[in-house]
C-alpha cells in the first residue's frame, strides 16, 4: 500500500514534470489548475499558483523559473486572493483568460476582459521574457499582454508610461506587504508634463523623482531608453548582458530597487536603490532650495539658489526644516525683467523638476539658450546640455525650481535668473575671491619658480660636469692620436684645444643631426655591414657623408679610436677624405667628404675597406 502510494506519487511528479516542462501555452477549453504550471520555452519563467511569504492565500503569478528563491514578478489576482487550491485558469469562449475559484461560483476572480466576441481560436503563451501574451487569431496579433499590466516589477522589454492613442498608462504599484501582493500605496509613474520624468508616488504625492529625460543614459549593464512623441511617452530598459538576471522592483516600503541574481550566493544583490540619501525625498529643501547630500562639512543639507533666501529663517536655521523653501530677495523692490538682471551658474546639480520646463530646441548654442531665457520674463532658469550623440539642447524653466540636488558625478550646470543687485554682489564676491586667488597664485608661482631655478641649476651643473669629463676624454684621445683639431668655423665645436692644424674635427651630435635632417631615410646613401651612410649638408654648405657605425658592430670605443687614427693616416687619393667624427651619441659617427660624381664606388670601397679593417682587428 505504502509502496503503491509512493509509486503513484512519484509518477504524478514525473507526469507533472513532463507536462509542465513541455507546456508554455493554454488554448480554448484547456485549463490550468493549482499545482499546474506553464514554463516558458527556455525555462526562464513559470506561471502558476503560489502563496506569498506566510500567507495561505493562493494567487496566480509569474516567477523566475531558474531562480531558487521564489521571486514573483507578476500577479493576476493581486486584490482577490483565492482560498485553498481551487483556482483554475482557462480561456473562455470569447477568448479571454479567466481565473475562477470554486468558492466563487459565478464571477471570475480575474479576467483579461478584452473581448466580447465568440471565437474558436485563442492562445495564451508564457514567453521567455516573462510576458504572458494572448493571441486571438492566427495572424498572431497580441490582444493582451501581462507587460501592459505590471504588478511591482519592471522587466526588460516592458514599457513604463503612456500610450496616448489607447489611453493606457502602464506603471508598477507596490505590494501591500511581503505577504500580500495587494495594491499598495506606492507607484512608479511617468509624469509626461514638460520634459518627462519618472516619479515614485505615494497616492498622488511625489516621493522621489528620477532624472529628467533624456539626460540620464546608462552605459553599464542597464540600457535605458525613452520614447516621447504624440503617440507614446514611455521608458523601457534592456540588459546588455543576456546571462544576467536583473529586475527593477518597487518594494512595499516604496523603495525602488535594482537587483541582480547571484547564482553562487543564491540571493538577489541590490546594486541601486532610491530614495536613499537625505536629499532623495522629493523637494526636501523646498522651492528654490538646493540639497547637498555631502553636507557633513556644513550643519544643514539645504541651501537656497543664488538670489534667494529662506522663506522662514526660523524654520530653516533653527528647526532645520526647509520645506517652506526659499523666496527671492528684494522681491518688492527689484524686478527680474528688463532691469539689468542676469544669470548665475549653479554647477553640478540634479536639474530641478522639469514638469514646468521646456526643451526649446535640441540644437541651440549656450549663448542663444541664455538669450532665449532672458527674452521671456517668466523664464527662471536655463541649462544648456550636451546630449550624447545629439546636439546641444536648451532646457528652460518657467516658474518654481523644485527638487534640485548637488550631484558631482552626474550633475549638470544650471543658470538661474537673478536681479541686478544680486549680480553686482556676486561679482564683488567673485572679485574678492579672485584677489585671494591672486595672492595664492603669486605664492604658488614663487615657490614653483624657486624650485624650477634650483632644478635648472643642478641640471646645468651636472651637464657641465659631464661635458668637462667628455672633453677631458676627447683631449686625451687626441693627445694619443697626436693631432690637432680641424676647425670648421661655422660649426659650433665645443671641444677645447688648439685649432691650428685642422685634420680631424669633432662634431656635435646636434650639428650632425641638423646636417642629415636627423638621419632622415631620404638622406640615406647606402648600407653596409658596418653601418648606414647618410648624406648631409653642414651649415657652411659643405656636403658630407656620415657613417653611422651600428651599435652592434661590436666595436668598443678603443677600436673606434684606432679606426679613426688609421683612416686619418691612410688619407689617400682613392679614399674618401675623413673630415671628422662624433662620439656624443650612443653610436660613433664618422664624417667624410662627399663626392657626388664617384660617390657610390667610393662608399662601397670605403665600406669594404672598413669591414676589412674590422675583420683584421678581430683576427
Ligand atoms: C470588463 O470591462 C467592461 C468595460 O470595459 C466592464 O464594464 C466590466 O465590468 C469588466 N468586467 C470584468 C469582469 O472586469
Ligand atoms: C470548447 O468547448 C465548447 C463547449 O464544450 C465547444 O462548444 C467548443 O467547440 C470548444 N472549442 C474548442 C476550440 O475546442
Ligand atoms: C495606504 O494609505 C492608506 C491611507 O493613508 C492607509 O490607510 C493604508 O493603510 C495604506 N496602505 C498600506 C499598505 O500602507
Ligand atoms: C539600448 O536600447 C535601444 C532601444 O531598445 C537599442 O536600440 C540599443 O541598441 C540598445 N543598446 C545597447 C548597447 O544594448
Ligand atoms: C503615431 O501613430 C500614427 C498612427 O498609427 C502613425 O501614423 C504615426 O507615424 C505615429 N507617430 C509616431 C511619431 O510614431
Ligand atoms: C514665455 O514662455 C512661456 C512658456 O513657454 C509661454 O507660455 C509664454 O507665452 C512666454 N512669454 C513670452 C512673452 O514669450
Amino acid at each position: 500500500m505504502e509502496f503503491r502510494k509512493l509509486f503513484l506519487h512519484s509518477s504524478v511528479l514525473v507526469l507533472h514534470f513532463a507536462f509542465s516542462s513541455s507546456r508554455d501555452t493554454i488554448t480554448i477549453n484547456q485549463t490550468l489548475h493549482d499545482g499546474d504550471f506553464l514554463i516558458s520555452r527556455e525555462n526562464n519563467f513559470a506561471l502558476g499558483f503560489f502563496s506569498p511569504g506566510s500567507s495561505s492565500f493562493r494567487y496566480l503569478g509569474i516567477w523566475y523559473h531558474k531562480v531558487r528563491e521564489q521571486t514573483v514578478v507578476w500577479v493576476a489576482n493581486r486584490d482577490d486572493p483565492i482560498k485553498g487550491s481551487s483556482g483554475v485558469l482557462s480561456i473562455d469562449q470569447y477568448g479571454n483568460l479567466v481565473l475562477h475559484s470554486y468558492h466563487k461560483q459565478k464571477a471570475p476572480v480575474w479576467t483579461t476582459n478584452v473581448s466580447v466576441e465568440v471565437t474558436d481560436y485563442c492562445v495564451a503563451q508564457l514567453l521567455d521574457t516573462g510576458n504572458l501574451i494572448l493571441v486571438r487569431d492566427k495572424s498572431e496579433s497580441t490582444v493582451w499582454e501581462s507587460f501592459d499590466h505590471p504588478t511591482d516589477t519592471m522587466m526588460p522589454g516592458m514599457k513604463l508610461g503612456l500610450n496616448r492613442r489607447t489611453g493606457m498608462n502602464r506603471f508598477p504599484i507596490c505590494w501591500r506587504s511581503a505577504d500580500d501582493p495587494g495594491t499598495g500605496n506606492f507607484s512608479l509613474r511617468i509624469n509626461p508634463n514638460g520634459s518627462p520624468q519618472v516619479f515614485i508616488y505615494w497616492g498622488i504625492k511625489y516621493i522621489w523623482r528620477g532624472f529628467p529625460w533624456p539626460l540620464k543614459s546608462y552605459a553599464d549593464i542597464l540600457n535605458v531608453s525613452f520614447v516621447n512623441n504624440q503617440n507614446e511617452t514611455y521608458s523601457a530598459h534592456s540588459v546588455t548582458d543576456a546571462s544576467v538576471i536583473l529586475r527593477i522592483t518597487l518594494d512595499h516600503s516604496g523603495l525602488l530597487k535594482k537587483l541582480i541574481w547571484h547564482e553562487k550566493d543564491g540571493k538577489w544583490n541590490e546594486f541601486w536603490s532610491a530614495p536613499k540619501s537625505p536629499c532623495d525625498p522629493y523637494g526636501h529643501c523646498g522651492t528654490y532650495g538646493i540639497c547637498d547630500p555631502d553636507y557633513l562639512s556644513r550643519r544643514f543639507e539645504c541651501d537656497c539658489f543664488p538670489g534667494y533666501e529662506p522663506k522662514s529663517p526660523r524654520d530653516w536655521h533653527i528647526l532645520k526644516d526647509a520645506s517652506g523653501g526659499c523666496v527671492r530677495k528684494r522681491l518688492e523692490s527689484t524686478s527680474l525683467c528688463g532691469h539689468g538682471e542676469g544669470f548665475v551658474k549653479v554647477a553640478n546639480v540634479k536639474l530641478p523638476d522639469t514638469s514646468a520646463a521646456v526643451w526649446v530646441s535640441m540644437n541651440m548654442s549656450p549663448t542663444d539658450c541664455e538669450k532665449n531665457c532672458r527674452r521671456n520674463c517668466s523664464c527662471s532658469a536655463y541649462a544648456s546640455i550636451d546630449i550624447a550623440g545629439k546636439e546641444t539642447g536648451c532646457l528652460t524653466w518657467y516658474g518654481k525650481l523644485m527638487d534640485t540636488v548637488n550631484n558631482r558625478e552626474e550633475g549638470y550646470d544650471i543658470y538661474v535668473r537673478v536681479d541686478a543687485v544680486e549680480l553686482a554682489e556676486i561679482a564683488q564676491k567673485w572679485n574678492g575671491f579672485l584677489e585671494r586667488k591672486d595672492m595664492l597664485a603669486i605664492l604658488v608661482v614663487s615657490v614653483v619658480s624657486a624650485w624650477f631655478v634650483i632644478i635648472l641649476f643642478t641640471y646645468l651643473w651636472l651637464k657641465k660636469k659631464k661635458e668637462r669629463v667628455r672633453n677631458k676624454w676627447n683631449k686625451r684621445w687626441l693627445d694619443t692620436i697626436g693631432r690637432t683639431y680641424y676647425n670648421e668655423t661655422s660649426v659650433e665645436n665645443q671641444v677645447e684645444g688648439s685649432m691650428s692644424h685642422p685634420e680631424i674635427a669633432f662634431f656635435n651630435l646636434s650639428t650632425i643631426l641638423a646636417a642629415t635632417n636627423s638621419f632622415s631615410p631620404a638622406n640615406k646613401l647606402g648600407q653596409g655591414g658596418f653601418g648606414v651612410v647618410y648624406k648631409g649638408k653642414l651649415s657652411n654648405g659643405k656636403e658630407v657623408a656620415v657613417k653611422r657605425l651600428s651599435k652592434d658592430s661590436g666595436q668598443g670605443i678603443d677600436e673606434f679610436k684606432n679606426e679613426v687614427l688609421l683612416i686619418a693616416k691612410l688619407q689617400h687619393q682613392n679614399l674618401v677624405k675623413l673630415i671628422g667624427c662624433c662620439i656624443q651619441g650612443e653610436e660613433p659617427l664618422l664624417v667624410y667628404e662627399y663626392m657626388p660624381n664617384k660617390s657610390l664606388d667610393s662608399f662601397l670601397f670605403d665600406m669594404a675597406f672598413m669591414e676589412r679593417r674590422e675583420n683584421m682587428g678581430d683576427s
Side-chain angles (χ1 to χ4, degrees), residues 110-145:
W110 172 83
T111 168
T112 54
N113 199 14
V114 281
S115 173
V116 288
E117 282 172 45
V118 176
T119 180
D120 58 359
Y121 181 85
C122 192
V123 176
Q125 186 179 15
L126 179 63
L127 303 179
D128 273 311
T129 53
N131 195 6
L132 178 67
I133 60 167
L134 193 61
V135 179
R136 274 207 35 129
D137 50 48
K138 297 192 170 70
S139 66
E140 302 219 336
S141 71
T142 302
V143 291
W144 179 93
E145 55 188 311

Side-chain angles (χ1 to χ4, degrees), residues 223 225 238 240:
N223 176 14
S225 57
S238 57
T240 49

Side-chain angles (χ1 to χ4, degrees), residues 215-274:
L215 303 188
K216 190 79 170 69
S217 64
Y218 300 88
D220 51 12
I221 192 85
L222 257 186
N223 176 14
V224 177
S225 57
F226 90 101
V227 169
N228 189 21
N229 59 39
Q230 71 264 40
N231 297 341
E232 288 184 290
T233 299
Y234 70 82
S235 164
H237 72 272
S238 57
V239 178
T240 49
D241 182 346
S243 67
V244 169
I245 299 179
L246 185 152
R247 76 189 160 107
I248 302 178
T249 190
L250 183 66
D251 86 356
H252 57 88
S253 57
L255 270 183
L256 182 63
K257 293 175 172 175
K258 298 178 182 172
L259 310 109
I260 286 180
W261 176 251
H262 274 232
E263 183 59 37
K264 221 170 74 195
D265 310 341
K267 65 181 176 75
W268 289 96
N269 278 12
E270 178 187 306
F271 67 97
W272 184 91
S273 77

Side-chain angles (χ1 to χ4, degrees), residues 528-531 606-616:
F530 210 84
D606 186 30
M607 267 181 222
F609 168 79
M610 289 298 277
E611 265 157 29
R612 227 178 11 252
R613 282 293 318 146
E614 191 184 22
N615 294 341
M616 277 165 65

Side-chain angles (χ1 to χ4, degrees), residues 71 107 126 134 148 226 238 247-248 302 315 348 366 379 395 460 463 508 514 575 605 619:
T71 310
L126 179 63
L134 193 61
D148 282 340
F226 90 101
S238 57
R247 76 189 160 107
I248 302 178
C302 291
D315 289 352
N348 296 326
C379 179
L395 192 56
L460 287 179
K463 197 178 160 183
N508 268 337
L575 284 176
F605 176 74
S619 58

Side-chain angles (χ1 to χ4, degrees), residues 473 477 480 555-565 588:
W473 186 87
W477 176 32
T480 62
Q555 264 197 338
I557 204 77
D558 284 324
E559 285 93 326
F560 180 67
K561 277 191 280 181
N562 293 336
E563 207 69 64
V564 174
L565 188 61

